[in-house]
Amino acid sequence: LRCSPPPSTMEKKIDEKELLELSKKWAMFYPNYINSLRTYAQGRKIAKKDCCDNPTALEIAHIASALKLRFVLERAKLHPRTFMLKPNQVILPGRVRVELWNEKKEPINKTIPTRKAFMEFAGQKIPTLKIRHERIKQVQARLQAQQAAAEKVNTKNSKKGRNKKRGKKGKRR
């Protein structure tokens, strides 16, 4: 669980428990909402042209902090439709609660008046985040290491199998 610090305009300090209680009224965003690799049935909420591939909850939280909005990042949560995913699809854990409106139901950031506007903004800005590029490089390096290890194992197994005689081929009469 990760909470954003309260904005400097607030007069009193809010501890983490109070922030969690307050955040129950905030807008909730799962990575599936803006994942272009998901269908509407799998939880996507906006058009594919406004989405990005495999966003994470941390990236959504970075967008909220860039907009100077308070947020709570809940890493252990999953989207309810995650069970519908195929085995080869990536499961993206996490949920972000963002304070888009104040107590008077007025938008805190005038450029983001609705949930849909926040999702579209996040879908456009996430591909430009520095942490996203670093994460993609790490994933690619991990995949290359796994492929190299698999090739090494395959070449060892193929060399061993050629030299051995199997069965009773030599003992037949």
Side-chain angles (χ1 to χ4, degrees), residues 131-165:
I131 61 164
R132 182 175 180 85
H133 295 296
E134 292 170 0
R135 180 178 65 94
I136 290 172
K137 285 179 186 177
Q138 289 175 350
V139 168
Q140 288 174 346
R142 194 177 319 130
L143 284 174
Q144 288 175 352
Q146 287 175 350
Q147 288 173 349
E151 288 175 11
K152 191 181 261 189
V153 169
N154 288 339
T155 56
K156 285 182 180 179
N157 289 342
S158 63
K159 289 179 182 176
K160 287 181 180 178
R162 291 182 193 158
N163 298 335
K164 289 186 176 181
K165 292 184 180 179

Side-chain angles (χ1 to χ4, degrees), residues 17-31:
K17 288 183 181 180
E18 284 183 56
L19 189 59
L20 285 174
E21 192 61 36
L22 280 174
S23 71
K24 291 182 180 179
K25 297 177 184 176
W26 297 352
M28 189 178 350
F29 299 99
Y30 289 97

Side-chain angles (χ1 to χ4, degrees), residues 31 37 41 53 59 70 88 95 130 144 147 165 169:
L37 303 177
D53 293 349
E59 293 166 348
R70 288 195 297 176
N88 61 347
R95 172 173 76 186
K130 185 178 178 181
Q144 288 175 352
Q147 288 173 349
K165 292 184 180 179
K169 292 179 185 176

